[in-house]
Amino acid sequence: MQEMLREIPGAQEWIVIQAIDKGWSADRKYYVQDTQGKEWLLRLSDISQYERKRWEFETVKKLDPIEMRMSRPIDFGVCRDGSQVFSLFTWVSGEDARDAIPLLDSEEQYRLGVQAGQYLCKMHSIPAESGFDTWAVYYNSKMDRYIKNYESCGIRLAGAENIIRYMEEHRYLLDERPRSFQHGDYHVGNMVVTPEGELGIIDFNRADSGDPWEEFNRITWDAAISPWFASGRIHGYFQGGEVPDSFFRLMALYIASNQISSIHWAIPFGEQEVEVMLNQAQDVLNWYEGFETHIPNWYKPMPGSS
């Protein structure tokens, strides 16, 4: 393996190269350690992904001035005789947040949630590039596609009509929404709890730009393991201030859209993954009382608020 990666600067110093099988990315990922004990994350992609991976690398580098525990881009280039693209990132040591957070008490779960929200707010301070369609044009088109894919996929979700109704009735919320940097897949599955008990953010391979509040579309994974963490994430994002009602309405819209899209998305991954998404959609319908409300029942008001 090391011989195959000889074109990567510094690879001759690597003494551990260990494959990582977690995640949905088509990239091949490796944990790397060098002779000095330094740790890295190596991602390998097909050369056809060169432009996307270069954009991804340069975009995540924009986060360099921000103080947070994250996997930071170090080097980028071509290897394996021009057949692959490599991206090298710092390694964030820690336990998978999905495993670590449920074992903590509610106060610690909440504290880490606040940290997750604060980090996300910092990331959203990075403006999006120019030249995009308005967010409303872009996302309305996306919702149209999601609904069409669901209706044609052959799998039926009990209560889907309530989700689609909420989406249709709240499209107006997309008007005049801003764009910023997005992590692209921000939830506990892409976080670790470090040995010091702090939160680390990993896997920026879905980095994008869009409405900052869309990043709460996957808070469903957070809420499923810890309502305290999920609520803390919202409070941390708003820096302890009042959470606008419009935020909850938009979060519900993005969650509804994400749930409808997830059914069709899961089909290529097999029946088990489809079942996971159907179960999550039922949880979401329960949280929102069939989308008769826009504040999920897992949400816990800020400590000290009335």
Side-chain angles (χ1 to χ4, degrees), residues 13 29 35 39 41 58 101 116 119 142 164 179 200 223 247:
E13 301 295 322
K29 299 187 291 185
T35 55
E39 299 171 298
L41 170 67
E58 295 300 328
I101 287 173
Y119 283 171
K142 203 172 186 178
I164 293 171
R179 279 182 182 261
F247 166 80

Side-chain angles (χ1 to χ4, degrees), residues 78-136:
V78 174
C79 63
R80 291 190 166 179
D81 297 321
S83 67
Q84 293 199 309
V85 182
F86 76 85
S87 306
L88 193 66
F89 297 82
T90 58
W91 180 265
V92 182
S93 294
E95 186 179 356
D96 188 323
R98 290 171 294 190
D99 299 327
I101 287 173
L103 302 178
L104 303 173
D105 63 31
S106 59
E107 189 174 324
E108 274 297 287
Q109 291 178 10
Y110 181 79
R111 182 185 69 82
L112 289 175
V114 169
Q115 201 167 74
Q118 291 170 339
Y119 283 171
L120 190 60
C121 185
K122 290 178 180 179
M123 284 189 258
H124 291 166
S125 69
I126 305 295
E129 299 168 3
S130 58
F132 292 102
D133 285 337
T134 66
W135 180 248

Side-chain angles (χ1 to χ4, degrees), residues 229-250:
F229 179 88
S231 301
R233 178 178 155 186
I234 293 171
H235 300 158
Y237 187 83
F238 288 98
Q239 309 297 319
E242 184 176 348
V243 182
D245 187 66
S246 58
F247 166 80
F248 285 111
R249 292 179 187 275
L250 261 171

Side-chain angles (χ1 to χ4, degrees), residues 169-186:
E169 291 178 355
H170 292 84
R171 288 178 183 263
Y172 71 92
L173 294 170
L174 301 169
D175 294 341
E176 309 300 325
R177 290 301 301 162
R179 279 182 182 261
S180 73
F181 171 92
Q182 290 181 328
H183 175 280
D185 198 17
Y186 199 75

Side-chain angles (χ1 to χ4, degrees), residues 42-218:
L42 173 68
R43 304 186 80 108
L44 296 179
S45 316
D46 186 79
I47 193 64
S48 63
Q49 296 295 306
Y50 180 86
E51 289 302 331
R52 162 65 196 181
K53 291 299 171 182
R54 184 176 67 169
W55 179 89
E56 181 184 302
F57 187 85
E58 295 300 328
T59 298
V60 177
K61 275 197 73 64
K62 294 177 182 177
L63 300 179
D64 279 354
I66 295 177
E67 189 175 332
M68 58 187 284
R69 297 166 189 82
M70 62 170 278
S71 185
R72 296 189 182 274
I74 298 298
D75 200 4
F76 172 86
V78 174
C79 63
R80 291 190 166 179
D81 297 321
S83 67
Q84 293 199 309
V85 182
F86 76 85
S87 306
L88 193 66
F89 297 82
T90 58
W91 180 265
V92 182
S93 294
E95 186 179 356
D96 188 323
R98 290 171 294 190
D99 299 327
I101 287 173
L103 302 178
L104 303 173
D105 63 31
S106 59
E107 189 174 324
E108 274 297 287
Q109 291 178 10
Y110 181 79
R111 182 185 69 82
L112 289 175
V114 169
Q115 201 167 74
Q118 291 170 339
Y119 283 171
L120 190 60
C121 185
K122 290 178 180 179
M123 284 189 258
H124 291 166
S125 69
I126 305 295
E129 299 168 3
S130 58
F132 292 102
D133 285 337
T134 66
W135 180 248
V137 167
Y138 171 79
Y139 203 81
N140 273 306
S141 174
K142 203 172 186 178
M143 289 202 301
D144 291 343
R145 186 170 70 253
Y146 287 166
I147 293 169
K148 182 179 178 181
N149 286 344
Y150 167 73
E151 290 177 341
S152 64
C153 78
I155 296 172
R156 287 296 165 259
L157 163 67
E161 66 281 2
N162 292 6
I163 297 176
I164 293 171
R165 174 185 52 78
Y166 186 89
M167 292 167 66
E168 296 290 5
E169 291 178 355
H170 292 84
R171 288 178 183 263
Y172 71 92
L173 294 170
L174 301 169
D175 294 341
E176 309 300 325
R177 290 301 301 162
R179 279 182 182 261
S180 73
F181 171 92
Q182 290 181 328
H183 175 280
D185 198 17
Y186 199 75
H187 60 83
V188 285
N190 289 319
M191 300 174 187
V192 298
V193 178
T194 70
E196 297 77 31
E198 304 301 328
L199 202 67
I201 312 301
I202 60 174
D203 283 353
F204 286 79
N205 59 295
R206 288 187 174 86
D208 203 349
S209 69
D211 179 0
W213 292 357
E214 189 206 4
E215 293 260 56
F216 287 84
N217 64 352
R218 292 179 174 95

